[in-house]
Amino acid sequence: MSEIPKTYNPAEVEERWYPFWEARGFFKGRVNPGKKPYTIVIPPPNITGILTMGHVLNNTIQDVFIRWRRMQGYETLWMPGTDHAGIATQNVVEKSLIREGTNRHELGREKFLARVWEWKKEYGGTIIRQLRRLGTSCDWERERFTMDEGLSRAVQEMFVRLYEKKLIYRGKYIVNWCPKDHTAISDDEVNHTEQQSNLWHIRYPLVDSEEWAVVATTRPETMLGDTAVAVNPSDERYRHLIGRRLRLPLTDREIPIIADDSVDAAFGTGMVKVTPAHDPNDFLICQRYNENVDTAHRMVPITILDTSARTNDAVPEKYRSLDRFDARKAVVADLEAGGFLVKTEPYTNNVGRCYRCDTVIEPYLSDQWFVKMKPLAQEALSVVQDGTIRFYPERWVKTYEHWMTNIRDWCISRQLWWGHRVPVWYCVGDDACKLECREPIVARRAPASCPHCGSTNLRQDEDVLDTWFSSWLWPFSTLGWPDDTKDLRYFYPTDTLVTGPDIIFFWVARMIMAGLEVTGDIPAADGSRRASRESIVPFRHVYFTSIIRDAQGRKMSKSLGNSPDPVEVIREYGADALRFTIVYLAPLGQDVLYSNEKCEMGRNFANKIWNAGRFLLMNAGETGVPDVTPELPDAHADLADRWILSRYHSTAVALNEALEKFEINNASKILYDFVWHDFCDWYVEMVKGRLYGDAPPEVRSAVLGRAIMVYEETMKLLHPFMPFLTEELWQNLRPRGEGRSIMVSEFPKGDRSRIDTATEAEMSFVQDCINSIRNIRGELSVPPSKEISLLVRFDDPSASAVLMKYEGYFRRLARVSGIREHLSPGKPPQSAGAVVRGGEIFVPLEGLIDLSAERARIEKELNHVAGMFENTSKKLLNASFVEKAPQQIVDQERAKLESFKTTMEKLRSSLEAL
RNA sequence: GGGCUCUUAGCUCAGUUGGUUAGAGCGCUACCUUGACAUGGUAGAGGUCGUAGGUUCGAGUCCUAUAGAGCCCACCA
């Protein structure tokens, strides 16, 4: 069968099998009461996204789990979909509008949204198409989008329910405002970075005396919006000043000195300027102050910036319409000129930046919608603490706990157009309306009229909801929630969530909260009530993936240009090679330094597997592939056959265990070592003698049949990792019949009772002998073409019998032409020798032996053994070791000492003989 | 300021509950195109497991301190 190519060609194979699987519906998850479900929901990639190495890792892991469980007989569903990504998508479309010389305001809301949908239709599926190249076995017919009709309904339902439970409220608060995106963002969307700045000390004169107060600030421009100066009430230095008034420089306003406990007397001067409209802490000070004064004396926050962070009309004319940083320069200059600037000291402070556009965030007072998180967090915390949901690696529990116990309310409104519109209407009222019906109307559907006054003049809230407000429903909204669907009953809760630790707060925590909050009223598959926590958490296991970095350890980023394009990598190395490499490189919970060349490892491995298959098929070429019969495993089996079966079963057992424990990179190592080192390096070499030689046909057939059987089963073990290659090989090995596929074959469990330790021990003895001969050949530069003979001497005659029985192995693996016993004492003349378990082996090298090389070789070995001998005897001379260590260990050490001793003796006599 | 992780061969990393003088891949050296595979084979060189203490009969593995690298959280102006 010379038509099988010498190297594996992934491109051709991949493009053939993916449509094959899909067309036969293997990816589909169907409600099937006869089977246990196994469900994964994909972390929905942004529609603006393109595939990154992070996605590759993430989705390969999910596919490994899904394919493994599918083959194990679970009814698997891998639910795919995409996220509408509010700000990101709106930005992309706005940019293209700007290129066209227009903008969204010119276009108007409705037309703009039409444009975004158009964009989505055109480009929103890019990442999904790329994902398919990886071989992901998602149920594509179920693909969902966070803005599709069903999911939008889920969002509205959730909003209304939480509002009715008073867990959603609206209020004027300081939020993180992005002056570039013109929207509020949540606390988690702010990145803090250190920045070299100044601390400006400013003098505020008292109104009725020559004294003054000095405040320190990093944002001097905000002084234009100051409404007070605060001191700690217990600060003796300033107690007499409380209640007195200051003249605010650069303005004609007077502000009071007030007391507040939050002021740290030790910081700066111990006096703080209070700008309630532009600083979250100052806002709280203002609120506390207002609680204790009558209405007439309330402090009113003064907003001095507009939504672009330019100064507004609330500041003196001179400073109006300035960007905040220009305003800062102007204010500092005038303070200095006016003698108000006491000093300027260099200062490093943290500034918050928008996670999208890196613009410095402005704390901004505005009306926003919030979710009250504390009541939701409680349960969500305990299901993780009590193990109902498990994290892998476990240490993320701590991070989770910390966040959940310090959780703050979630600002969910965004001043964007692209997103789920807040399902709230306000009665604008009409002439007939005499009522103060400013109450928001929160409804699942647009109300026809105001329930208070009957006016039909209603206006919907302009804001949309944070993208995560749809994502946190993902595990159940994709299954049909809020409707009670068969899918939901059967597939919920999902099993494993695979995601990056960077979104543990954004997404993982919130999904847990949402699931616990609303899924309790969905009946279970048998119609019963979901009473247990296990049945209402959105998933049972969370696998936190590694973060992929470049070879220098930097995070992959667009701006650095260091993110490889996985589609290119697939083209160059193949999808299986990429999948295997990335999983092999990514231990649970550790970052991964990745570069494309590393895929050579996976490619070489794929090629190795390919060629092992090629070898088997070439041998089957003449006679055909023998059938697998019940007798086959043991028919005409010799050492190598029994050994590979034993190794195969322990590999299958270990692999399943590793996957159960989510040790996916360990699982890939187990496969790599078995295939390459056990199967190819040893076993294939050892069967060659019987395949090429003149073994009786029934022996040859048994040997070949068994080799192919083990190989086929190994393809199944490999399939979750390398789906394309294994399908191709599995299909090539024998005719399978229409619609059959390795991906729906049974995943091998491995049989512990077939793990044969006696055979493994015998094999390792043979391997040791062969390695010793190879070492002699290599070190003494015996040409590979030169055949050698072997002389052996063992205390136990059965050992020599074993070697002679397997002379064929020695011929093939060490080019040994014959084995004879050497019973006389001493070593044969002109020979090199090695000590092996229970005896010695010699290689006569008449005329070839280099005495000094042989001496060096033996001396090295002797040194090695002597070192171990010394170590062991030291241990045994230590009375407390013999006394305290377990008997078994002590016996072991004693046996070792004996064997080191005899080995040394033999090596020494060899040296003397030279 | 709090929390977490990492430090093992030139490079990238494994090393399960403490028990032989520590492994892999890549790279390096030598040899080999033998009838699966040069994307291969065989042999070899290369490590006082960051440092200092401690627990233990025994520590890469457990504890403490310390140095370096990185990440996350935090309203000190």
Side-chain angles (χ1 to χ4, degrees), chain A residues 8-62:
Chain A
Y8 171 56
N9 174 9
E12 182 263 335
V13 169
E14 288 166 19
E15 113 192 355
R16 205 142 30 78
W17 292 115
Y18 201 83
F20 171 87
W21 295 326
E22 205 174 7
R24 278 155 190 79
F26 294 150
F27 298 167
K28 276 196 218 164
R30 304 174 181 85
V31 173
N32 180 349
K35 280 175 153 190
K36 266 176 83 178
Y38 180 85
T39 316
I40 294 180
V41 287
I42 204 169
N46 290 352
I47 47 171
T48 53
I50 50 159
L51 199 67
T52 64
M53 292 311 298
H55 292 118
V56 168
L57 174 63
N58 201 341
N59 287 287
T60 299
I61 291 169
Q62 292 175 69

Side-chain angles (χ1 to χ4, degrees), chain A residues 158-168 372 375-376 516-518:
Chain A
M158 189 67 175
F159 189 98
V160 173
R161 282 202 199 181
L162 292 178
Y163 182 81
E164 284 168 351
K165 283 186 81 172
K166 306 227 178 319
L167 291 175
I168 281 186
K372 211 178 270 180
L376 296 171
L516 289 168
E517 176 66 19
V518 302

Side-chain angles (χ1 to χ4, degrees), chain A residues 166-369:
Chain A
K166 306 227 178 319
L167 291 175
I168 281 186
Y169 63 93
R170 185 172 191 259
K172 218 178 192 44
Y173 291 93
I174 293 274
V175 294
N176 308 294
W177 186 267
C178 175
K180 185 152 172 285
D181 295 330
H182 292 103
T183 179
I185 58 176
S186 71
D187 293 333
D188 319 277
E189 289 169 327
V190 178
N191 297 325
H192 292 275
T193 52
E194 284 210 332
Q195 190 171 289
Q196 229 4 276
S197 173
N198 291 315
L199 194 58
W200 286 275
H201 295 250
I202 310 168
R203 183 197 325 254
Y204 288 8
L206 270 106
V207 172
D208 51 4
S209 83
E210 295 301 302
E211 290 176 87
W212 59 76
V214 175
V215 295
T217 180
T218 52
R219 294 192 304 153
E221 71 283 6
T222 62
M223 58 120 6
L224 298 171
D226 282 2
T227 58
V229 164
V231 300
N232 193 299
S234 59
D235 190 340
E236 300 292 340
R237 294 172 298 172
Y238 305 126
R239 192 172 281 170
H240 66 289
L241 293 175
I242 296 168
R244 295 177 64 183
R245 298 184 73 77
L246 297 162
R247 179 168 296 113
L248 188 62
L250 314 185
T251 72
D252 52 8
R253 286 196 292 119
E254 287 182 10
I255 56 171
I257 297 177
I258 63 169
D260 192 279
D261 291 327
S262 73
V263 179
D264 179 358
F267 186 90
T269 58
M271 295 181 125
V272 180
K273 57 191 279 307
V274 179
T275 322
H278 294 285
D279 182 279
N281 191 47
D282 293 1
F283 182 74
L284 294 175
I285 293 177
C286 172
Q287 278 189 320
R288 283 193 287 266
Y289 178 80
N290 286 345
E291 279 168 21
N292 299 317
V293 296
D294 55 79
T295 324
H297 292 89
R298 287 219 171 131
M299 194 188 298
V300 181
I302 302 169
T303 297
I304 60 160
L305 298 172
D306 65 14
T307 55
S308 301
R310 297 176 74 86
T311 46
N312 63 13
D313 290 354
V315 304
E317 205 165 342
K318 179 170 183 202
Y319 306 109
R320 282 180 202 167
S321 296
L322 295 175
D323 175 82
R324 52 188 160 158
F325 300 115
D326 296 332
R328 178 175 303 174
K329 281 181 205 137
V331 164
V332 169
D334 286 358
L335 285 173
E336 188 158 26
F340 297 108
L341 195 61
V342 180
K343 66 171 173 178
T344 306
E345 56 176 324
Y347 191 76
T348 312
N349 67 332
N350 267 331
V351 297
R353 291 173 180 277
C354 175
Y355 80 113
R356 287 290 329 160
C357 65
D358 213 38
T359 304
V360 174
I361 287 302
E362 193 62 37
Y364 197 69
L365 189 60
S366 56
D367 274 312
Q368 304 288 346
W369 289 94

Side-chain angles (χ1 to χ4, degrees), chain A residues 698-713:
Chain A
E698 69 276 12
V699 173
R700 184 180 188 275
S701 168
V703 169
L704 178 64
R706 181 165 37 237
I708 290 176
M709 180 191 75
V710 172
Y711 183 77
E712 278 181 289
E713 295 305 300

Side-chain angles (χ1 to χ4, degrees), chain A residues 532-590:
Chain A
S532 64
R533 290 169 144 195
E534 286 81 25
S535 61
I536 58 170
V537 289
F539 31 73
R540 304 297 307 281
H541 306 277
V542 184
Y543 183 109
F544 289 108
T545 59
S546 317
I547 290 170
I548 310 283
R549 300 172 177 282
D550 71 6
Q552 282 82 47
R554 301 170 304 181
K555 222 168 165 169
M556 300 260 175
S557 81
K558 270 176 227 152
S559 52
L560 276 172
N562 59 352
S563 353
D565 176 1
V567 176
E568 275 304 313
V569 179
I570 289 172
R571 237 193 294 277
E572 189 177 348
Y573 297 95
D576 290 324
L578 172 60
R579 288 169 63 113
F580 192 86
T581 302
I582 199 97
V583 158
Y584 187 92
L585 287 176
L588 186 53
Q590 230 42 67

Side-chain angles (χ1 to χ4, degrees), chain A residues 491-795:
Chain A
F491 288 113
Y492 189 86
T494 74
D495 291 90
T496 308
L497 178 77
V498 180
T499 191
D502 48 331
I503 54 175
I504 185 167
F505 308 133
F506 282 120
W507 197 44
V508 180
R510 287 174 183 159
M511 279 192 287
I512 295 172
M513 291 188 261
L516 289 168
E517 176 66 19
V518 302
T519 62
D521 23 301
I522 303 296
D526 58 6
S528 66
R529 224 185 108 250
R530 289 180 192 260
S532 64
R533 290 169 144 195
E534 286 81 25
S535 61
I536 58 170
V537 289
F539 31 73
R540 304 297 307 281
H541 306 277
V542 184
Y543 183 109
F544 289 108
T545 59
S546 317
I547 290 170
I548 310 283
R549 300 172 177 282
D550 71 6
Q552 282 82 47
R554 301 170 304 181
K555 222 168 165 169
M556 300 260 175
S557 81
K558 270 176 227 152
S559 52
L560 276 172
N562 59 352
S563 353
D565 176 1
V567 176
E568 275 304 313
V569 179
I570 289 172
R571 237 193 294 277
E572 189 177 348
Y573 297 95
D576 290 324
L578 172 60
R579 288 169 63 113
F580 192 86
T581 302
I582 199 97
V583 158
Y584 187 92
L585 287 176
L588 186 53
Q590 230 42 67
D591 290 358
V592 168
L593 305 194
Y594 171 88
S595 59
N596 284 349
E597 307 84 73
K598 293 198 170 170
C599 285
E600 285 175 16
M601 195 233 92
R603 181 201 58 186
N604 295 355
F605 185 45
N607 195 54
K608 190 75 180 173
I609 296 167
W610 175 259
N611 274 289
R614 182 168 177 264
F615 165 79
L616 295 172
L617 281 170
M618 283 167 76
N619 277 285
E622 311 142 34
T623 53
V625 175
D627 289 334
V628 177
T629 60
E631 306 77 54
L632 180 59
D634 304 306
H636 303 284
D638 77 4
L639 179 61
D641 306 301
R642 285 182 275 119
W643 175 77
I644 199 65
L645 280 169
S646 175
R647 290 294 309 132
Y648 161 76
H649 284 287
S650 61
T651 298
V653 167
L655 175 67
N656 279 295
E657 275 174 4
L659 288 173
E660 292 284 357
K661 287 190 284 185
F662 296 87
E663 290 173 359
I664 195 163
N665 82 306
N666 189 25
S668 64
K669 280 184 179 66
I670 288 167
L671 286 169
Y672 185 91
D673 290 341
F674 173 71
V675 170
W676 203 302
H677 298 124
D678 292 343
F679 194 87
C680 294
D681 287 349
W682 288 96
Y683 174 64
V684 165
E685 294 307 320
M686 289 172 117
V687 295
K688 277 179 180 171
R690 284 171 294 165
L691 294 181
Y692 294 152
D694 49 6
E698 69 276 12
V699 173
R700 184 180 188 275
S701 168
V703 169
L704 178 64
R706 181 165 37 237
I708 290 176
M709 180 191 75
V710 172
Y711 183 77
E712 278 181 289
E713 295 305 300
T714 304
M715 290 307 99
K716 293 180 188 169
L717 296 178
L718 280 163
H719 182 261
F721 297 83
M722 310 180 93
F724 296 108
L725 170 70
T726 50
E727 179 77 276
E728 173 75 7
L729 289 162
W730 187 83
Q731 298 277 359
N732 287 351
L733 280 168
R734 44 180 117 232
R736 299 293 179 179
E738 168 59 26
R740 300 284 307 282
S741 164
I742 191 174
M743 77 168 278
V744 290
S745 69
E746 192 183 337
F747 196 79
K749 284 194 272 292
D751 181 351
R752 277 175 204 277
S753 70
R754 302 259 355 187
I755 299 173
D756 179 350
T757 46
T759 291
E760 296 207 17
E762 191 169 295
M763 176 69 176
S764 103
F765 171 62
V766 170
Q767 285 176 313
D768 285 347
C769 293
I770 289 172
N771 284 336
S772 294
I773 299 164
R774 284 170 167 179
N775 174 263
I776 289 169
R777 297 191 68 121
E779 293 279 281
L780 300 186
S781 301
V782 178
S785 53
K786 167 81 184 164
E787 280 202 340
I788 53 168
S789 60
L790 191 65
L791 296 171
V792 301
R793 181 173 60 207
F794 287 94
D795 309 333

